Amino acid sequence: MPGSLVLMGSGETSPTMVEVHRAVARGLRAGARAVLLDTPYAFQENAADISARARRYFARSVGLEVEAATAVAGADWVFSGPGSPTYALDRWAASGVAGDLRARVRSRQGVTVLASAAACTAGLATVPVYEIYKVGAEPHWREGIGLLEPLGLRAVLIPHFDNAEGGTHDTRYCYLGERRLSRMERELPPETAVLGLDEHTALIIDLESEAVEVAGRGGLTVRRPGAVTVLPAGTRTNLAAVRDLAAGATSATVPPPRPARAAAAPAVPLEETMRSCERLFTDAVGKPDLVAAARLVLDLEAEIVTWAADTEEDAGGVDQARELMRLLIARLGEAAGTAGLRALVEPLLDLRARLRGEGRYEVADALRAAMARGGVTVEDTPAGPRWSAAAV
């Protein structure tokens, strides 16, 4: 069976990576054994739930029946994803799994898919992201499991490369930021490159033909001292070209990106869907078009169902989307009440304007006072009258 190594920056069990998983699994033989390595998150109290969601995702979205295991011997397809890179490293080294994963790549057999925390371990060194970002340890490296060296790549792999969760502080480069990554790069062995994988992005390496493809939403960054090259999604090249870039060869050439293999449009990350939905909802309520606003709430609910299998414990996207949906439902209820009131108030405002235009100010003022007693405040502004309803 042809071998593949697939590394993902994030989104490994989300709609954004479905087509990548399907394309890679297509080459598996009938009855192939598929294994989920749960080691990176095995210490978490909800480990069983993460495994169950991942298995449902692969069964329903990819058509692959997956078993949770702690070893990879005899597996045709192996997947490992979110959690702690260093927790996985310690246990894989002690159990021999690290050596088994290296043997798979060295023999160029089987499909090996590592994402997020697991992908972080693939190079010759690993970012201990929990220890640095969440505990406050001094920036340092841990030894990696060395899956890239049999492919001629002397490099470290950093997922979540374009992360922007920090907002006011730099969380790129798997939450390191530029300052810490620059410091850590100086501590790497000579001639070592940084391979940065953006979120919702995959690096697919055909181990037999050495064909390379970047798929998904972002790109692969090859970073060397004084040189940075970005291979965007759609790039199809070969390992030789990536080796040249990682080695700092100035003559390295990479073909321009080509359209992705999948005919379907790539899925949009949930965070983008949420922002778009909230913006469109506000526009619809402002028109008002309450039917369109209600349809947007239903669309968001459908996206929440689609993303429910996402196992990335640090994203929290589905919970945030549920909170947004509840907020939009409340706003829809308020808008519906306001829309009904508007049907009564606006004709009265037109009548008041006519009365004022005819100089019948006493009657117009009486109408305004009556509206105030009914809970509607009218304010005259240079742009025209504005009204608001008193809170119930």
Side-chain angles (χ1 to χ4, degrees):
M1 185 181 66
S4 299
L5 174 63
V6 182
L7 303 169
M8 295 181 172
S10 81
E12 56 271 16
T13 52
S14 77
T16 58
M17 291 290 101
V18 165
E19 292 302 326
V20 172
H21 285 302
R22 288 174 179 170
V24 173
R26 217 168 274 139
L28 294 174
R29 61 180 174 83
R33 181 170 178 243
V35 164
L36 162 67
L37 278 178
D38 64 359
T39 317
Y41 58 82
F43 64 94
Q44 297 179 202
E45 291 295 324
N46 64 338
D49 178 60
I50 295 175
S51 292
R53 281 187 285 141
R55 293 180 65 194
R56 285 197 299 270
Y57 170 86
F58 288 113
R60 295 174 182 176
S61 300
V62 187
L64 197 59
E65 295 297 329
V66 176
E67 62 180 272
T70 57
V72 300
D76 300 297
W77 179 95
V78 172
F79 168 83
S80 192
S84 166
T86 50
Y87 186 87
L89 282 172
D90 291 341
R91 277 136 192 89
W92 286 345
S95 65
V97 168
D100 291 342
L101 290 171
R102 281 193 298 271
R104 290 173 66 85
V105 175
R106 191 176 295 113
S107 65
R108 311 212 169 197
Q109 294 295 311
V111 175
T112 304
V113 184
L114 302 182
S116 299
C120 203
T121 70
L124 60 83
T126 296
V127 175
V129 58
Y130 275 27
E131 291 82 349
I132 296 173
Y133 184 64
K134 296 189 176 182
V135 182
E138 283 296 303
H140 64 286
W141 296 98
R142 284 282 305 273
E143 185 178 0
I145 59 177
L147 297 188
L148 301 177
E149 287 186 280
L151 305 179
L153 286 171
R154 188 172 180 79
V156 299
L157 195 287
I158 300 182
H160 296 280
F161 206 67
D162 62 342
N163 181 273
E165 290 178 24
T168 58
H169 65 283
D170 190 0
T171 53
R172 293 172 298 167
Y173 320 139
C174 202
Y175 307 94
L176 291 176
E178 178 63 41
R179 180 183 62 82
R180 284 184 290 208
L181 177 58
S182 296
R183 171 180 167 181
M184 292 173 66
E185 283 177 312
R186 294 192 290 271
E187 299 172 1
L188 287 170
E191 307 304 318
T192 301
V194 169
L195 302 183
L197 260 179
D198 288 344
E199 297 184 330
H200 302 282
T201 304
L203 172 63
I204 307 167
I205 304 173
D206 185 310
L207 299 176
E208 184 176 25
S209 67
E210 295 202 344
V212 170
E213 179 178 354
V214 181
R217 302 273 304 174
L220 170 71
T221 298
V222 184
R223 178 165 159 148
R224 295 264 308 174
V228 175
T229 302
V230 178
L231 307 182
T235 298
R236 298 182 193 176
T237 181
N238 52 53
L239 266 177
V242 179
R243 288 188 200 108
D244 287 345
L245 289 173
T250 56
S251 59
T253 57
V254 176
R258 295 189 292 173
R261 289 179 295 185
V268 175
L270 185 56
E271 294 82 358
E272 291 184 25
T273 299
M274 290 165 57
R275 288 195 295 269
S276 174
C277 181
E278 187 170 16
R279 184 182 68 255
L280 294 173
F281 180 92
T282 301
D283 291 344
V285 167
K287 287 181 178 179
D289 185 347
L290 301 190
V291 173
R295 190 177 298 118
L296 286 163
V297 174
L298 294 176
D299 290 344
L300 179 59
E301 192 274 338
E303 283 295 296
I304 291 171
V305 172
T306 301
W307 282 81
D310 192 10
T311 58
E312 280 202 89
E313 33 67 42
D314 59 348
V318 170
D319 288 341
Q320 293 173 13
R322 289 194 181 102
E323 292 171 1
L324 175 61
M325 185 176 72
R326 287 193 290 269
L327 173 63
L328 296 187
I329 290 171
R331 287 176 58 188
L332 185 60
E334 294 171 0
T338 302
L341 189 59
R342 181 180 289 115
L344 296 173
V345 170
E346 292 188 348
L348 293 176
L349 289 180
D350 291 341
L351 173 60
R352 179 173 177 266
R354 288 199 303 273
L355 292 170
R356 288 167 62 87
E358 296 169 1
R360 301 166 65 185
Y361 295 105
E362 184 177 344
V363 178
D365 290 344
L367 177 57
R368 177 179 181 179
M371 293 172 68
R373 288 194 298 272
V376 176
T377 301
V378 178
E379 178 186 4
D380 291 314
T381 73
R386 292 188 308 189
W387 67 273
S388 59
V392 178

